[in-house]
Amino acid sequence: KLPNAFGIGRQALLDEVKFENGWATINGNKGAAESAVTPFRNTFQQSIFSNASDSFNSNILSPQWSKPFFDYCLSNLNGGLLFITPTNATNNKSSESVVAQRSLSNEFSASAQINFRQIRDENSLGISIYSWRDNAIGISVGKGEVFVWQRENGKENKLASSELPKGRKNITLRIDSSQTGFSFSYKFDEGNWQFVKNKVKNERLEGGRIALIEKGKSNNSKAGF
């Protein structure tokens, strides 16, 4: 049974097949089992994405990150920061850059710390659940505020926002995914989490990935993840 938040794509299923009177059966014809004992002794599966984090201290982007095939963004690692520049942005047209990694569950917490001190007025940076069908949902910082946005069939709307206090340099944005939907929060340094929007449902995010995203008209952004 999959949670209602979003679908992670084509689900893989592994279950024992038994033959009874010449017919193949699974779980006594009750449908897929929620769990089963492995036929191999002393073995267990460990997810390579469990509690995964990236400090961007290397000279190249780690292989778990990917880009959409239509995205021509330029990624650059410098001083422990990842910069993803919208290379086809112009003064008259916004563009967006995305790097993402797979999610193997519908229930998770994902966060990103952003240094936004030198963010351009035209740009915003954030973390999102990004689908390949013009559908996404996320929380971003830019234009003097923290805001939650939702994109459906290519049309994007702002759902909620909070004004940014002056003098801040770093902010951490977080998305919590559960069966009841998505929740969005932020904090500064070692402060407490503050909710911007709670329990938003979006069931169109088939194959959604956890993505870092920058959007704007400037292709010379100096704000990074």
Side-chain angles (χ1 to χ4, degrees), residues 3-8 106 108 128-138 148-157 159 175-184 197-208:
N4 296 322
F6 72 103
I8 60 175
N106 287 347
F108 61 84
S128 70
I129 308 301
Y130 200 90
S131 181
W132 57 278
R133 288 180 173 173
D134 275 340
N135 295 310
I137 190 168
V148 175
W149 51 272
Q150 184 176 36
R151 184 186 306 165
E152 291 187 328
N153 295 325
K155 184 178 180 181
E156 190 166 304
N157 293 306
L159 302 182
I175 300 177
D176 292 295
S177 175
S178 68
Q179 294 191 26
T180 55
F182 299 104
S183 297
F184 303 88
K197 189 71 175 177
N198 200 15
K199 305 305 180 187
V200 181
K201 289 189 176 182
N202 191 326
E203 298 181 358
R204 298 187 179 185
L205 296 176
E206 180 183 357

Side-chain angles (χ1 to χ4, degrees), residues 13-30:
L13 174 66
L14 180 64
D15 214 332
E16 183 181 11
V17 179
K18 293 182 179 180
F19 286 87
E20 299 178 2
N21 299 322
W23 292 93
T25 64
I26 296 176
N27 193 25
N29 292 322
K30 298 176 183 178

Side-chain angles (χ1 to χ4, degrees), residues 81 111-117 119 125-127 139-142 144-147 162-165 168-174 185-190 192-194 196 223-225:
L81 288 174
S111 61
Q113 187 180 61
I114 300 172
N115 182 312
F116 66 95
R117 184 170 61 88
I119 192 171
L125 285 81
I127 183 170
I139 179 171
S140 297
V141 57
E145 62 180 8
V146 184
F147 58 96
S162 296
E163 186 177 352
L164 279 174
R168 295 289 186 174
K169 175 183 177 181
N170 296 309
I171 188 172
T172 303
L173 307 179
R174 186 177 74 182
S185 55
Y186 70 94
K187 72 174 183 177
F188 299 104
D189 300 322
E190 299 302 323
N192 296 323
W193 289 105
Q194 302 180 56
V196 181
F225 299 91

Side-chain angles (χ1 to χ4, degrees), residues 37-180:
V37 178
T38 174
F40 307 102
R41 292 185 177 181
N42 302 319
T43 60
F44 65 94
Q45 182 179 11
Q46 182 177 0
S47 173
I48 61 173
F49 294 95
S50 178
N51 298 317
S53 63
D54 198 330
S55 299
F56 301 124
N57 288 320
S58 176
N59 293 324
I60 58 174
L61 201 60
S62 356
Q64 73 258 28
W65 294 101
S66 60
K67 302 177 184 179
F69 70 91
F70 55 82
D71 191 358
Y72 299 100
C73 80
L74 177 65
S75 58
N76 178 37
L77 291 155
N78 187 4
L81 288 174
L82 167 67
F83 302 91
I84 49 175
T85 304
T87 55
N88 57 341
T90 67
N91 292 328
N92 298 317
K93 182 180 179 181
S94 293
S95 179
E96 71 180 20
S97 296
V98 174
V99 294
Q101 58 177 279
R102 291 178 293 169
S103 57
L104 302 185
S105 171
N106 287 347
E107 297 184 339
F108 61 84
S109 177
S111 61
Q113 187 180 61
I114 300 172
N115 182 312
F116 66 95
R117 184 170 61 88
Q118 298 188 64
I119 192 171
R120 300 288 184 176
D121 292 338
E122 306 89 348
N123 287 31
S124 63
L125 285 81
I127 183 170
S128 70
I129 308 301
Y130 200 90
S131 181
W132 57 278
R133 288 180 173 173
D134 275 340
N135 295 310
I137 190 168
I139 179 171
S140 297
V141 57
K143 302 176 183 178
E145 62 180 8
V146 184
F147 58 96
V148 175
W149 51 272
Q150 184 176 36
R151 184 186 306 165
E152 291 187 328
N153 295 325
K155 184 178 180 181
E156 190 166 304
N157 293 306
K158 185 189 295 184
L159 302 182
S161 63
S162 296
E163 186 177 352
L164 279 174
K166 295 182 179 180
R168 295 289 186 174
K169 175 183 177 181
N170 296 309
I171 188 172
T172 303
L173 307 179
R174 186 177 74 182
I175 300 177
D176 292 295
S177 175
S178 68
Q179 294 191 26
T180 55

